[in-house]
Amino acid sequence: MCGFVGCVYDKPQETKETLKKDTFRKMNAIITHRGPDDEGFYFDKHVNFGFRRLSIIGLESGHQPLSYENDRYWIIFNGEIYNYIEIRQEMEEKGYQFFTDSDTEVILALYSDLKEHAVKKLRGMFAFVIWDKEEELLFGARDYFGIKPFFYSEQEDLTLFASEKKSILLAKENQAESEIDRDALQHYLSFQYVPEPNTMTASVKKLAPGHYFFKKPGQAMKIRCYWRPNFQPAQTGERQLVKQIQDVLTDSVAVHMRSDVPVGSFLSGGIDSSFIVALAKEVNPKIKTFSVGFERNGFSEIDVAQETAQSLDLENISYVISPEEFLEEFPKIIWHMDDPLADPAAVPLYFVAREAKKHVTVALSGEGADELFGGYNIYREPESLRVFNYIPSPVKRIVKTLGQALPEGMKGKSFIERGVTPLEERYIGNAKIFEEAEKAPLLTDYRRGLDYTHITDPIYSQSSGYDAVTKMQHLDIHTWLRGDILLKADKMSMAHSLELRVPFLDKRVFEIASKISADQKIAHHTTKYILRKAAEGIVPDHVLNRKKLGFPVPIRHWLKEELYDWASLIIRSSEVDDLFDKRQVQLLLDEHAAGKKDNSRKLWTLLSFMVWHQIYIEHRYDFGSLNTGQEAQTKSVLSH
């Protein structure tokens, strides 16, 4: 697990230095948290490569940038290839030679043999760039689901790319003030994250998951899709399907534990992490588990996690987060995130990663199970609304008018409105924060016609013919999973130089999950039905049918009590008057504090953006100076 920065020049850098090497080294240093063990550089007339390494596999020989075939190919690579041993054996049979024990060299040999088709053979999480000196061609790729990040920015005479956006902003000399993408901001208010491939900075994009690119100096990038998730539900017998799930997950956990350093696992009170831990114990009977919670009752799964660990005869290390500690760390959390992300679960993830790093270098986690196996409660909605399928369209229009006439908050109003609204119009992913009508009075530049369907319609068009539950899963994999779940998993773990591995998000696991029918996912008044059946006898009984909590965060209570003054100060002091009507934001806070409405998620979305704005636009903090060796500058308003 590592981080990289790089650029490719359109013109040879023999007579001038477009990007000063001192700046480039700072771009690399600012992501030291991604790789504190080693750094490396490669410079030639067309490319600069920089690399930060966290040593996991091939401890003595994994230095990057790495070359192959007499320095023809050079690579910088972030991630892990779990089938590298098998690929290496295949390549050796073809006559390829290896001089290191690293999975990085395997990628280079495979690329030398298959060029862009190499990515389809890789099993793992990855973002990498390869420079072919002979062809003067840059090739880069990102893994199937988007587990590892890949940012890029095309300039007039060079193209920048990096594992974190902050490196690119440093190269651009902090020109982000004039570059806030107003469209991205408007979508952020719907989704609580910026939907890919955009970022909050207009000139910086993300390479989409399952995509690769070519770039020749003097020519534009050519981006191609090599894989997209395709569901093919089929009626498979329950016993056969349970066996397939158990076998593929057992294999996935085993290969995800390949490491030359200690591996642990996160453990909440739910089935996903418990399943991973139980299977991991078969590989390492002494694997350590890690959990976090909050002081407030009902917002901690530590007791359940400890019971699970005890049932499996494993050690559990837990940590309780206080509101004061949250306040102290929150700006740093947002800095690590690169873009605003308003998922409160990022907070406990940050702290559990910090605790795990004290004991291990790699941790397993349960991300992806809900999207692949149908784990969100909202996936049961099509079943509850099935009665509306039998109502003729003219009658539906009448019912819709009657529903809209009902007072807000009246029992049954929401049920009627959802029932008469097509799935493609009502479901935008696992989180929906602001309705379009709510954004208009908030934003100083609300762009009418730019609603969330600009993001969701192209994705729904790819899922034509799917049942409603599978359509929802398909949408979440293309939005929520990559924009929220995997973003915070990567950024919060790498903030502490911890490699996080997600065995559910393995292409072989997806091959099985993609064939599960809707009635095997949502059945018997529960979610992930078939996964729960597969976990029977492996996961302790007290976990199997627990209500999903994840890492709950008490923001609803905090914003009424402990964090009210903090939130009010952020609203007053943030310099976002050109973007928001701050009176409307304060009104949301006061309504919430008075108990009139639960505005906690809306407020969290706005406050997260404002703190991001203070860091990246107003420059009130400079956490990056801690990595670049300069004296840290922090002009904090949070504690006043």
Side-chain angles (χ1 to χ4, degrees), residues 12 45 62 102 109 120 136 145 169 200 285 288 304 312 322 327 347 350 374 415 476 505 533 548 572 598 627 637:
K45 64 181 180 180
S102 69
K120 295 182 180 181
E136 292 194 339
F145 296 99
L169 294 182
M200 198 63 80
K288 293 183 178 181
V304 180
L312 295 171
S322 69
L327 269 186
V347 176
Y350 176 87
F415 178 75
D476 276 337
L505 291 176
K533 295 297 291 185
K548 180 178 180 60
R572 292 197 310 272
D598 179 5
N627 283 348
V637 299

Side-chain angles (χ1 to χ4, degrees), residues 249 252 272 275-276 366-369 372-373 502-506 509 531:
L249 282 177
S252 182
D272 305 337
F275 207 165
I276 296 297
E367 279 81 359
L372 267 61
F373 291 92
V502 284
F504 281 109
L505 291 176
D506 176 84
V509 176
L531 185 68

Side-chain angles (χ1 to χ4, degrees), residues 2-289:
C2 312
F4 60 72
V5 299
C7 66
V8 56
Y9 299 106
D10 285 339
K11 298 178 181 178
Q13 297 299 290
E14 294 169 336
T15 57
K16 67 172 184 174
E17 192 178 35
T18 302
L19 181 63
K20 294 184 181 299
K21 287 185 179 179
D22 180 58
T23 300
F24 188 76
R25 292 181 185 277
K26 289 178 181 177
M27 290 167 59
N28 201 47
I30 204 172
I31 57 168
T32 296
H33 51 275
R34 296 191 76 91
D37 296 336
D38 187 21
E39 73 171 348
F41 295 93
Y42 169 73
F43 300 97
D44 81 0
K45 64 181 180 180
H46 274 300
V47 301
N48 292 359
F49 279 179
F51 185 73
R52 296 295 323 186
R53 185 186 184 205
L54 178 64
S55 301
I56 304 293
I57 291 174
L59 301 184
E60 301 300 323
S61 58
H63 181 79
Q64 295 186 43
L66 184 69
S67 64
Y68 195 72
E69 280 194 14
N70 297 317
D71 293 347
R72 173 179 173 175
Y73 300 107
W74 287 85
I75 187 173
I76 41 179
F77 159 55
N78 170 26
E80 302 291 346
I81 305 302
Y82 301 122
N83 61 337
Y84 80 99
I85 294 175
E86 293 79 3
I87 293 175
R88 177 175 174 143
Q89 290 171 347
E90 292 177 18
M91 300 304 292
E92 286 175 333
E93 291 174 3
K94 289 184 175 184
Y96 285 84
Q97 290 183 303
F98 294 90
F99 304 94
T100 75
D101 298 322
S102 69
D103 53 351
T104 310
E105 191 177 23
V106 171
I107 298 174
L108 279 175
L110 196 62
Y111 180 76
S112 174
D113 185 44
L114 299 176
K115 296 301 184 281
E116 69 270 22
H117 302 295
V119 293
K120 295 182 180 181
K121 292 194 64 123
L122 300 177
R123 183 184 182 188
M125 54 181 181
F126 54 85
F128 63 80
V129 180
I130 295 173
W131 172 242
D132 182 344
K133 286 176 62 176
E134 187 175 302
E135 296 290 333
E136 292 194 339
L137 176 69
L138 193 75
F139 174 78
R142 190 177 179 202
D143 65 62
Y144 304 88
F145 296 99
I147 303 169
K148 301 316 300 174
F150 194 115
F151 295 88
Y152 70 93
S153 180
E154 293 186 273
Q155 307 299 306
E156 280 188 14
D157 55 354
L158 82 163
T159 298
L160 300 158
F161 43 89
S163 296
E164 299 200 5
K165 191 176 81 170
K166 58 180 66 67
S167 294
I168 294 177
L169 294 182
L170 191 60
K172 293 164 65 61
E173 298 179 350
N174 295 318
Q175 295 173 1
E177 291 90 339
S178 59
E179 287 194 285
I180 288 182
D181 186 331
R182 297 283 185 130
D183 290 357
L185 174 59
Q186 191 158 317
H187 289 314
Y188 166 78
L189 294 182
S190 294
F191 293 92
Q192 81 176 13
Y193 55 85
V194 178
E196 294 192 358
N198 295 323
T199 73
M200 198 63 80
T201 305
S203 64
V204 182
K205 306 297 181 186
K206 292 180 180 179
L207 182 66
H211 283 66
Y212 60 69
F213 72 86
F214 293 106
K215 163 72 179 175
K216 286 189 75 72
Q219 299 179 15
M221 289 175 64
K222 297 179 180 179
I223 299 174
R224 302 284 184 269
C225 176
Y226 69 86
W227 184 86
R228 39 171 75 90
N230 180 31
F231 286 89
Q232 298 176 312
Q235 286 296 331
T236 306
E238 183 174 298
R239 183 178 300 178
Q240 179 184 353
L241 194 51
V242 163
K243 180 68 164 56
Q244 290 176 348
I245 293 170
Q246 290 173 341
D247 288 347
V248 76
L249 282 177
T250 298
D251 174 66
S252 182
V253 169
V255 298
H256 278 71
M257 292 185 71
R258 286 179 173 174
S259 172
D260 296 333
V261 295
V263 179
S265 187
F266 294 169
L267 182 60
S268 68
I271 187 175
D272 305 337
S273 62
S274 300
F275 207 165
I276 296 297
V277 167
L279 294 175
K281 186 194 172 185
E282 298 302 308
V283 181
N284 176 11
K286 297 297 182 183
I287 189 170
K288 293 183 178 181
T289 66

Side-chain angles (χ1 to χ4, degrees), residues 294 319-338 341 344 346-355 358 491-492 494-496 558 563 566 570 604 608 611-612 614-616 621 623 626 634 636 638-639:
F294 295 91
Y319 187 81
V320 177
I321 308 163
S322 69
E324 294 76 21
E325 190 172 23
F326 156 77
L327 269 186
E328 183 179 344
E329 294 295 313
F330 188 61
K332 193 180 293 184
I333 289 172
I334 294 294
W335 178 78
H336 277 290
M337 214 69 80
D338 272 339
L341 173 66
V347 176
L349 192 54
Y350 176 87
F351 284 100
V352 74
R354 188 186 71 178
E355 294 309 302
K358 296 174 183 178
K491 296 299 179 65
M492 296 298 90
M494 292 312 313
H496 303 288
W558 281 356
L563 298 190
W566 168 80
I570 291 292
W604 201 250
S608 295
V611 173
W612 174 86
Q614 290 182 336
I615 295 167
Y616 281 100
Y621 304 85
F623 298 114
L626 299 174
T634 303
S636 174
L638 300 189
S639 59

Side-chain angles (χ1 to χ4, degrees), residues 286-301:
K286 297 297 182 183
I287 189 170
K288 293 183 178 181
T289 66
F290 305 93
S291 310
V292 292
F294 295 91
E295 295 174 341
R296 185 178 289 268
N297 289 337
F299 291 88
S300 177
E301 293 190 310

